[in-house]
Amino acid sequence: MTNIALIVLDTLRKDYFDKHFDWLPGTRFENAWSTSHWTASAHASLFTGKYPSEVPVNKKNEFFPATETSIVERLSESGYRTRGFTSNIYMSSNFNFDKGFDELETSWRVKQIPSENTFNWGAFISTHRDEGPSRYFKALYQCLTDDSDTIPSLKYGSKMKLNDLGIITHEDEGSKRALEFVRKSNFDTDGEFLFLNLMEAHAPYDPPEEYKMVERPKINKRRPSLTGGYDDPEWPRTAYDDAVRYQSDIYEKIFQAVREDFDVVITVGDHGEMLGEDDTWLHWIGIRPEVSHVPLCLSGDVDIPDAESVTSLVDVHATLADLADLDMPSPRGESLLRSTNRDSRLVEYRGLSQRRREVVEKVGGDPDEYDRDCYGIAEMRYHYDTLDGFVGDKEWQPRIAEAVESLNLERAEDDRVSDSVIEHLENLGYA
């Protein structure tokens, strides 16, 4: 059995990958595309070989469905030991993406989310923000008198305050912990599957001090990418570059450690990032190439017959199944280890979550302006919808419509996440 590692460099733009990851060995796919503009939808494609709305995982449903089979589950059923590390809350039990993992370790950000029985200090203080310092005493009283688990709640509140005061600090977004996880794991010589999600390139762009050319930019959590809002746009761009430089350096150590035990390592981005193009920031609006064009590299002793054709995250799913010799066809993808006719791949944007609609409304915007579908199609070029019109060859518009019409669309339920999870998402620039 082939030992396989799938490592996702979350939010890494293709152009910044080219700039900073020249050390990474393997076959690079220059024309690789995500299926979406954000983490959960992109990973749904990696894990199922479907387009996100076929699963369905999109902004109307952020949870991996219980009825859907993940390739991680199939690997486990076929005898693989499945282990992972995630820095991203979406790739955790909070959103059902832990299905099939024998072991899934999480970063400090995910660990700090309180359980349902823990008093949510952050949510309480946020809703009483106008009351000054007295809100902390009210929160303490509420913690001691409600139905929460008192001791864990007090510990959580203390840790939050120490974080705010800078007494407790974290070296990075989790990659150092991921390196420790890889080094301490006793991998077998065969039958191992490893998944890593590394978040250094994701906001808040806060690498270790020695990498900082600028101080970490403040993200307006209420409208992070609706209007931009940076007097000096080079500030967040430089901060992003700082974070990617650090991601490259720490990933080089992780990669070297992984290659000691794994035959094939697939390094891929789930989506990119907007850095002021169209006065847009982060990655919650649209499918411009800055967001949808992703890095993809296969490292190991494998024959790649065609690295020039267009490829997508759905093809990564097919490749994983091929490497593991699974009888698990990829509904939309083709293995990168086989000579096939990959002529085009779809990218989708399915509007806003209800939480984001509420944020847009609170700042006086019209959520309907952003809450609509856009699709793109990648071939030798990329043609795509924007909120302001179509970019690319007009002759491809009917092809996009045909591709969308062929999707096996599933109805997406609007699931509700806990207040503590919402608070965590807001800290990362989501709503």
Side-chain angles (χ1 to χ4, degrees):
M1 300 170 73
T2 303
N3 278 8
I4 311 164
L6 172 64
I7 302 178
V8 177
L9 304 179
D10 205 297
T11 321
L12 179 59
R13 283 172 56 138
K14 174 64 166 61
D15 51 352
Y16 282 75
F17 172 80
D18 292 341
K19 179 180 178 181
H20 292 296
F21 285 75
D22 57 332
W23 60 264
L24 182 63
T27 300
R28 298 186 178 214
F29 294 80
E30 299 298 329
N31 196 16
W33 298 82
S34 181
T35 56
S36 182
H37 61 103
W38 69 295
T39 296
S41 285
H43 280 75
S45 293
L46 282 171
F47 286 4
T48 67
K50 298 179 180 180
Y51 289 116
S53 292
E54 296 181 295
V55 179
V57 175
N58 53 45
K59 281 299 183 180
K60 308 306 180 186
N61 172 54
E62 299 170 318
F63 293 77
F64 194 88
T67 55
E68 188 68 45
T69 300
S70 165
I71 194 169
V72 183
E73 292 177 279
R74 288 298 307 276
L75 287 165
S76 180
E77 292 167 359
S78 68
Y80 271 84
R81 185 172 183 180
T82 54
R83 296 190 250 190
F85 178 94
T86 175
S87 298
N88 194 311
I89 185 176
Y90 280 116
M91 297 302 101
S92 70
S93 59
N94 293 278
F95 290 90
N96 298 339
F97 274 88
D98 60 331
K99 290 177 58 179
F101 282 100
D102 298 320
E103 180 183 359
L104 184 62
E105 183 61 66
T106 61
S107 70
W108 65 271
R109 279 196 185 274
V110 180
K111 287 183 184 297
Q112 74 178 2
I113 298 171
S115 68
E116 292 183 1
N117 295 324
T118 303
F119 178 70
N120 192 340
W121 291 80
F124 185 92
I125 291 170
S126 178
T127 56
H128 294 76
R129 193 175 300 280
D130 297 335
E131 299 178 19
S134 66
R135 67 187 185 272
Y136 292 100
F137 298 102
K138 291 182 179 180
L140 178 59
Y141 177 79
Q142 186 78 14
C143 172
L144 294 173
T145 57
D146 69 6
D147 295 330
S148 302
D149 291 338
T150 303
I151 300 302
S153 296
L154 291 173
K155 288 182 178 179
Y156 172 65
S158 300
K159 188 177 292 186
M160 272 195 62
K161 191 60 179 176
L162 292 173
N163 268 312
D164 290 342
L165 294 173
I167 297 173
I168 295 179
T169 59
H170 301 276
E171 292 182 295
D172 63 16
E173 290 298 316
S175 285
K176 282 191 176 180
R177 179 69 186 89
L179 177 58
E180 294 174 6
F181 174 78
V182 171
R183 285 176 172 172
K184 78 175 184 180
S185 298
N186 295 317
F187 296 112
D188 293 332
T189 56
D190 62 13
E192 291 277 0
F193 172 74
L194 175 67
F195 167 78
L196 303 178
N197 176 287
L198 307 177
M199 286 265 286
E200 309 313 316
H202 196 289
Y205 315 149
D206 193 22
E209 287 297 325
E210 61 267 29
Y211 284 86
K212 290 183 180 179
M213 301 294 291
V214 296
E215 285 304 306
R216 161 181 144 184
K218 291 184 178 180
I219 296 173
N220 185 333
K221 299 171 186 175
R222 295 180 61 82
R223 57 190 306 178
S225 56
L226 191 60
T227 61
Y230 296 107
D231 293 332
D232 179 11
E234 289 306 313
W235 178 20
R237 289 173 190 148
T238 302
Y240 179 81
D241 189 78
D242 294 343
V244 173
R245 281 192 296 110
Y246 172 64
Q247 179 73 96
S248 174
D249 285 354
I250 189 68
Y251 182 53
E252 186 171 9
K253 297 176 182 178
I254 294 171
F255 178 84
Q256 290 171 353
V258 170
R259 279 292 284 139
E260 291 179 5
D261 295 294
F262 286 81
D263 304 300
V264 179
V265 179
I266 302 177
T267 303
V268 66
D270 60 342
H271 57 77
E273 186 83 319
M274 297 296 290
L275 296 173
E277 297 86 2
D278 288 343
D279 197 27
T280 303
W281 302 86
L282 305 183
H283 52 269
W284 65 270
I285 294 178
I287 49 172
R288 280 182 58 112
E290 292 84 359
V291 168
S292 50
H293 191 195
V294 295
L296 173 59
C297 180
L298 262 66
S299 307
D301 187 15
V302 289
D303 180 35
I304 308 296
D306 180 12
E308 304 302 322
S309 296
V310 63
T311 190
S312 163
L313 302 189
V314 293
D315 301 307
V316 174
H317 173 274
T319 306
L320 291 171
D322 196 4
L323 286 166
D325 199 23
L326 292 181
D327 183 17
M328 185 182 188
S330 182
R332 298 293 177 183
E334 301 287 348
S335 172
L336 301 175
L337 308 183
R338 301 178 185 274
S339 181
T340 58
N341 182 26
R342 300 191 308 272
D343 57 350
S344 63
R345 291 292 183 262
L346 196 66
V347 184
E348 61 177 63
Y349 167 85
R350 299 301 306 277
L352 306 180
S353 65
Q354 182 57 36
R355 297 191 309 275
R356 179 62 72 181
R357 285 186 62 90
E358 293 168 1
V359 169
V360 174
E361 288 174 343
K362 285 179 181 178
V363 298
D366 178 8
D368 290 340
E369 181 180 351
Y370 309 97
D371 196 7
R372 48 196 174 95
D373 296 346
C374 293
Y375 295 94
I377 198 161
E379 36 106 35
M380 296 310 292
R381 294 179 57 197
Y382 181 49
H383 318 270
Y384 60 101
D385 293 325
T386 73
L387 299 177
D388 299 317
F390 186 77
V391 176
D393 294 339
K394 297 289 186 181
E395 64 186 39
W396 278 90
Q397 283 184 290
R399 291 283 301 275
I400 294 176
E402 291 174 9
V404 172
E405 194 172 319
S406 72
L407 296 179
N408 298 315
L409 296 181
E410 296 286 341
R411 183 175 181 270
E413 301 293 337
D414 191 3
D415 284 294
R416 172 70 178 171
V417 297
S418 68
D419 291 339
S420 57
V421 170
I422 291 175
E423 181 190 0
H424 176 88
L425 294 175
E426 288 176 342
N427 288 334
L428 294 175
Y430 296 109

